Amino acid sequence: MFNAWTWDRRAVWRGVALAAALTGSARAGAEIDSLAVVTVPGITLPLTTSTVTLPVTTSTAATTTLPLPLTTTTVTLPPLPTTTLGRVSTTSLTLPLTTSTIVVPLPTTTLPLPLTTTTVTLPSLPTSTTLPQALCVGSCDDGFSCTDDVCTAGGCQHVPIDSRCVPPDACTAAVCAPALPGHDAAGCIAGAPRAEGEACAQDGDACTTDVCRGGICAHEPAVDTTGCAPVQEPFRQTLALGELTQGLEADVAAAGEALAPLVGRLAGIESDLAAAARALAGEPVADSGSTRALATGFEPAEATGLSADQRARIAFTAVLHTPRQVAAFLDDLAAARQRAGLPPAVARDLHRRGRMLLRGTKALKAQLRRLQRNHGRRHARNRHR
């Protein structure tokens, strides 16, 4: 007998089992409590409520790997800042080449040699000495042919050479004195005639004897120059300082009575310098040794044979107080300048020349002192041999 209800229930179970198998759902084992309505043509079934308990089944789902296409992602970054480096300067150093010198001392051999003594006679020194012009400001030429124009560290000096004022065939006591009144174009002043054997015009050389021989002014060279050669330079310096003093004396005398006391002081300085010059030349020192007195007076031409240190000692004594007298002259000149009403240019010139005379006399004293010491010791050693 066809049982419709039984068929219906079997159909329902088959549907449910089919659904669970297809879906693999874990819920297939869950309790189904629903109303199922099946409509069959020509048959109407009542609605029933069925409760179906399904067994729990485990389904393993298949794993499917899907290939994904490779994708490329392009990222555009903002532009980086640009840094510009400045120019780096390059410094090149040039190192000097160094030279190493190794000095190897040579062996020294001392040989005993016999002691020998050699005597050398030096010729007379020239009468004209001109130092480099660069030491002086401007030219040292004073325009007079009877003087040697000498440039020194202290300024221009003019060494008077009296022999240039005497004719070759005459024997007189003429002097070269450009600063004194009455001189000629060469700077000379004529002097009194000299007799045979008398002193005549000097030639500026400490190693000659200026004497009249056969009617002419001869300049006999010294046989032994050991006493005169060392004093040659201070001798000429003393002559130049005497000429400078003459010029100051003449210009101060022309300034008027207000400066008259200064003339006497300068005359004493001139006399001391003339005495020192005669001592350095090896001649006797007279009481009145000024150049002006020598132009008219009589002086014997005698060689004393003094050594260099003895000549220097006598000359040093003659000028011992000369720098002090020159300093006093400068003080008197400064005090009397306003009183005498001297023009500024004249006062400055007198002061400048006075300062030059002061420096010169100090230097002369120092040089004479050195001559005394050095040649005095040498002379003493020679005497004890």
Side-chain angles (χ1 to χ4, degrees), residues 165-167 169-175 189-201 211-213 215-217 293-299:
C165 299
V166 178
D169 56 349
C171 186
T172 66
V175 292
I189 298 178
R194 292 302 195 198
E196 183 72 13
E198 292 181 349
C200 59
V211 59
C212 282
R213 299 293 187 198
I216 63 173
C217 187
L294 293 177
T296 56
F298 169 78
E299 296 293 339

Side-chain angles (χ1 to χ4, degrees), residues 253-280:
E257 292 296 330
L259 298 182
L262 279 67
V263 176
R265 189 182 296 277
L266 289 172
I269 296 172
E270 182 190 357
S271 178
D272 294 341
L273 290 170
R278 292 183 63 82
L280 293 173

Side-chain angles (χ1 to χ4, degrees), residues 30-252:
E31 183 178 342
I32 300 175
D33 189 10
S34 61
L35 296 179
V37 179
V38 178
T39 303
V40 177
I43 302 174
T44 303
L45 298 176
L47 296 173
T48 60
T49 302
S50 302
T51 301
V52 181
T53 302
L54 298 176
V56 177
T57 61
T58 301
S59 300
T60 301
T63 301
T64 303
T65 302
L66 297 178
L68 297 177
L70 295 177
T71 59
T72 302
T73 303
T74 303
V75 178
T76 304
L77 297 177
L80 295 176
T82 302
T83 303
T84 302
L85 297 179
R87 181 179 180 182
V88 179
S89 60
T90 302
T91 303
S92 299
L93 296 178
T94 302
L95 298 178
L97 296 177
T98 58
T99 303
S100 300
T101 304
I102 301 176
V103 179
V104 178
L106 297 175
T108 303
T109 303
T110 303
L111 297 177
L113 297 176
L115 295 176
T116 59
T117 302
T118 304
T119 303
V120 179
T121 302
L122 298 175
S124 300
L125 296 177
T127 59
S128 177
T129 303
T130 302
L131 298 180
Q133 188 72 19
L135 296 177
C136 301
V137 179
S139 175
C140 277
D141 188 5
D142 61 354
F144 300 103
S145 60
C146 71
T147 61
D148 278 345
D149 304 315
V150 180
C151 180
T152 66
C156 294
Q157 293 184 357
H158 311 285
V159 181
I161 308 298
D162 295 342
S163 60
R164 297 177 184 174
C165 299
V166 178
D169 56 349
C171 186
T172 66
V175 292
C176 175
L180 298 181
H183 64 80
D184 58 14
C188 299
I189 298 178
R194 292 302 195 198
E196 183 72 13
E198 292 181 349
C200 59
Q202 58 85 18
D203 61 351
D205 190 347
C207 288
T208 60
T209 301
D210 309 312
V211 59
C212 282
R213 299 293 187 198
I216 63 173
C217 187
H219 308 286
E220 301 173 350
V223 176
D224 184 7
T225 60
T226 57
C228 59
V231 301
Q232 184 72 274
E233 184 59 32
F235 172 66
R236 290 174 57 82
Q237 185 179 359
T238 304
L239 294 177
L241 292 174
E243 194 273 340
L244 177 61
T245 307
Q246 288 179 21
L248 279 171
E249 185 180 353
D251 291 342
V252 168

Side-chain angles (χ1 to χ4, degrees), residues 292-344:
R292 182 180 293 124
L294 293 177
T296 56
F298 169 78
E299 296 293 339
E302 298 178 0
T304 58
L306 298 176
S307 62
D309 62 297
Q310 291 172 334
R311 298 186 188 198
R313 184 180 299 109
I314 297 172
F316 180 82
T317 303
V319 297
L320 179 62
H321 303 293
T322 303
R324 187 183 307 170
Q325 294 176 0
V326 177
F329 161 76
L330 290 172
D331 293 339
D332 294 342
L333 177 65
R337 183 173 56 185
Q338 298 295 334
R339 184 172 63 254
L342 293 177

